[in-house]
Amino acid sequence: MKRSRFSDEQIIGILKEHQAGMSAADLCRKYGVSDATFH
């Protein structure tokens, strides 16, 4: 299995930002991931 660039805690934080109202496109740009990876 491929190792993730982000820890579990970081992923949870990113998802909480999305839940708080930040758009997926902005989060992808901020953290350098593709839109497909985010979804």
Side-chain angles (χ1 to χ4, degrees):
M1 193 159 143
K2 188 175 180 182
R3 182 176 152 91
S4 176
R5 286 182 15 190
F6 299 101
S7 70
D8 291 342
E9 292 82 17
Q10 289 173 313
I11 293 169
I12 291 168
I14 293 168
L15 292 174
K16 284 185 179 179
E17 284 184 57
H18 180 63
Q19 193 174 25
M22 195 167 190
S23 73
D26 290 338
L27 285 169
C28 291
R29 205 172 304 114
K30 180 177 177 180
Y31 293 104
V33 297
S34 71
D35 192 48
T37 300
F38 183 80
H39 291 287

